[in-house]
Structure formats: C-alpha cells, structure tokens
Amino acid sequence: AVHTRDQVELPPPTIDNRLTVHPLWTEIDRISTEQMQAAFEGVGGEIGWQLFAEEGDMRMYRRKAYGAIGVQDSYSLDNISPGYAKNLKSQEMEVDGMVMDPLKAMHKVRGVSAREMCHYFFNPRYRYEWETTLETMTIVEEVSSDAMVFHQTFKRIWPASQRDALFWSHVRAAPGNTYAVINHSTTNQEYPPNSGACIRLFVTVCLACRSSYPAGEEPTRENITTSIAYCSTVNPGGWAPAGVLRAVYKREYPKFLKRFTGYVAEQCRDKPLAI
Ligand code: 6CM
C-alpha cells in the first residue's frame, strides 16, 4: 500500500491519448523514434566513437571525427602548438566555434527494470535528488502522463555565463521490455531565450533502457538486468571556452550516470519489481 502512489505514476505501457492530440505530438513522435533507434546502435569497436571513460559496466564514448591523426584524447588538447591546433580543430565537433560533441554511454544495472529506470529519469519529483548540475526546475506544461515541458537553470560554471534550457520530455515503451525517455529543446513565449542572466542551451537527450532475465523464469529483483544507452548532444548556445566545456562533460557525465543508476537501485531496493 505504501508504494501505490509510485505504481500508478509509472510510465504507461502505451502512448497517452492526450499526447497524440497535442501540437507537439508530431515532433515528439518523430524525434523519439529517431533517438531510440540511434541509442541501440552499437558503438563498441565501431568507427566514429571514441571511448573516454570506463568504470565497471559503464562505458562512455564521444563522437570521433574521421581521419584521426594519432591524437588519443582531444579533451586535453588545449596546450598544443597553434599549427597542430589548426589541424585538430577539424576533427572536433564544433559549430560556430562551439563544442557539440555527441556523447553516448552504455551501462548495465542489476535489480531494476527499464520501466523503473525511466520512471525516475522522467518524473520531476526525484530530479533534484540525482541531478547535480541543476539549479532550478520549473514545470512549464503537463502535457500528459507521458510528456511534460520543463524549464531548467544549471549551476554556473566559471568563467562561462549561466545556462538554462527549455525542453519537452517524453517517456515511452517499446517492444522487448524496453522503455526510453527523450528530452529535446523547444520554445515557449513565456520563456524567451537569453532574456535574463542565462544563455539558452539546446539539448537532445535519450535514455533508452532494455531489461532481460533468464528465459523461462519470471522476472525478479534477483534475476533482472537492465542495459542502458544514454545519448546526449548539447549545443551550449553561446560562446563557452571549448576546453572548459570538454572538461566539464568529461567530469560530469560519468558522475551523472553512476549517481543516477545508483539512486534508482537504492530507491527500488525494497519495492516490488515493476515491469
Ligand atoms: O540528462 C540529464 N539530465 C536531464 C534532466 O535534467 C536533462 C538535462 C539536460 C541538460 C544537459 C545540459 C547539462 C549541461 C550543464 C552544464 C552547463 C554549463 C555550460 C557552460 C560551461 C562552460 O536531459 C543529465 C545531464 C548530465 C549533464 C552532465
């Protein structure tokens, strides 16, 4: 009985009708489908992705440019000679001089389901408990049980200006014990960009999760494993020092994924498994 509130708010197994009649629906459906497909495409050993962090079952990759010239880690390329810098620049994902490295992380977590993972990522009630870069979060619109619009401000990182973001967030099920949350920047007249102290950043994030358990067995906390693919592309929206940004990402993404998955495992420990 204690957990009833949580159970009813779990991500729905089918798309909420209220979402399909909302003006954002076409965009949400298209981007979510694309993002989920891309999330489950492999990265290990494949061209184009470079491993930059590894710990236990967690692996993090950033998009690697083609035609590498023997540089292992462009997060530490700030002190290289100008001649090299010119060559190296073309290898990094920059748009108008701004770092836009797409990131992809893979992880495995035992004892929680894909649906539970996505519940804690999507539901704003828990966000301050695991999201360490967050300063404020406002619910701009509750579209449906599976879609919301958020405004968030992030902690300022010296020497850059503070950032904010306005994005829709959608949670959905897919065949094969799969759930995903997709976040993507949007606009709203009541939240105009670059109007206060913050520079608006643009984000596309997908947390895709797939559970598995031994064939012929019922899923339990003891036998379930959930594979996670987390993809993120952040456009900082205005100038920020590339070296600082890459250093922040390198530090913050592993911290986020470890903290978030640990948090969900801890929250679920004494609750009945929700598949
Ligand atoms: O995906 C994550 N969190 C979600 C819920 O908050 C949501 C957030 C997306 C925004 C990600 C942007 C983070 C950038 C924060 C630093 C901004 C400083 C810019 C200037 C620095 C020079 O999808 C987890 C996000 C984990 C981020 C490390």
Side-chain angles (χ1 to χ4, degrees):
V2 181
H3 308 304
T4 310
R5 198 172 131 86
D6 253 17
Q7 294 284 354
V8 297
E9 289 182 6
L10 281 163
T14 55
I15 288 165
D16 189 325
N17 289 330
R18 281 175 294 167
L19 174 55
T20 63
V21 296
H22 191 276
L24 281 171
W25 165 244
T26 315
E27 178 187 298
I28 289 180
D29 190 39
R30 176 177 55 83
I31 290 175
S32 300
T33 306
E34 284 168 13
Q35 287 294 314
M36 286 175 74
Q37 251 163 30
F40 287 120
E41 276 165 17
V43 283
E46 282 169 45
I47 297 167
W49 292 94
Q50 181 175 45
L51 186 69
F52 76 88
E54 191 171 10
E55 200 179 316
D57 289 319
M58 184 182 80
R59 280 170 185 61
M60 289 206 164
Y61 305 81
R62 64 179 188 84
R63 181 79 84 194
K64 187 172 72 176
Y66 298 89
I69 55 169
V71 175
Q72 292 301 309
D73 185 359
S74 77
Y75 285 91
S76 55
L77 290 177
D78 303 308
N79 306 319
I80 49 166
S81 70
Y84 269 96
K86 195 165 170 281
N87 284 333
L88 291 168
K89 249 200 159 14
S90 64
Q91 290 192 56
E92 299 170 342
M93 301 286 280
E94 293 185 15
V95 176
D96 297 333
M98 293 185 297
V99 175
M100 293 247 317
D101 300 336
L103 169 131
K104 184 154 178 168
M106 314 293 254
H107 200 4
K108 268 199 173 73
V109 182
R110 275 159 261 277
V112 299
S113 70
R115 194 179 186 198
E116 290 170 330
M117 256 318 154
C118 288
H119 167 64
Y120 287 98
F121 192 73
F122 174 74
N123 195 310
R125 192 177 350 138
Y126 312 107
R127 196 156 307 158
Y128 285 107
E129 292 176 33
W130 58 262
E131 177 62 282
T132 56
T133 63
L134 200 58
E135 188 153 292
T136 64
M137 176 193 65
T138 309
I139 298 172
V140 172
E141 190 180 348
E142 286 198 64
V143 174
S144 51
S145 62
D146 51 3
M148 289 191 158
V149 177
F150 296 103
H151 178 258
Q152 293 188 174
T153 63
F154 301 95
K155 289 177 184 153
R156 182 172 174 241
I157 293 162
W158 187 89
S161 307
Q162 192 181 13
R163 267 26 185 205
D164 70 350
L166 182 75
F167 60 91
W168 53 254
S169 184
H170 170 49
V171 61
R172 67 163 58 174
N177 299 307
T178 300
Y179 276 86
V181 178
I182 304 90
N183 295 341
H184 182 75
S185 283
T186 187
T187 54
N188 183 299
Q189 294 202 334
E190 279 159 46
Y191 295 82
N194 311 323
S195 49
C198 284
I199 294 181
R200 179 68 44 89
L201 64 74
F202 303 92
V203 66
T204 304
V205 157
C206 177
L207 178 87
C209 303
R210 182 166 285 165
S211 301
S212 60
Y213 44 90
E217 288 183 25
E218 286 298 310
T220 65
R221 288 248 178 263
E222 284 64 48
N223 69 10
I224 198 163
T225 300
T226 292
S227 299
I228 298 171
Y230 174 84
C231 301
S232 168
T233 303
V234 175
N235 175 337
W239 186 84
V244 173
L245 257 182
R246 290 204 166 97
V248 168
Y249 294 166
K250 191 174 184 175
R251 183 182 70 224
E252 295 299 328
Y253 280 117
K255 186 172 148 191
F256 145 67
L257 200 57
K258 278 189 282 178
R259 186 182 164 96
F260 173 68
T261 52
Y263 171 78
V264 176
E266 176 63 34
Q267 290 296 306
C268 289
R269 187 162 305 172
D270 301 317
K271 297 190 173 80
L273 179 70
I275 278 284

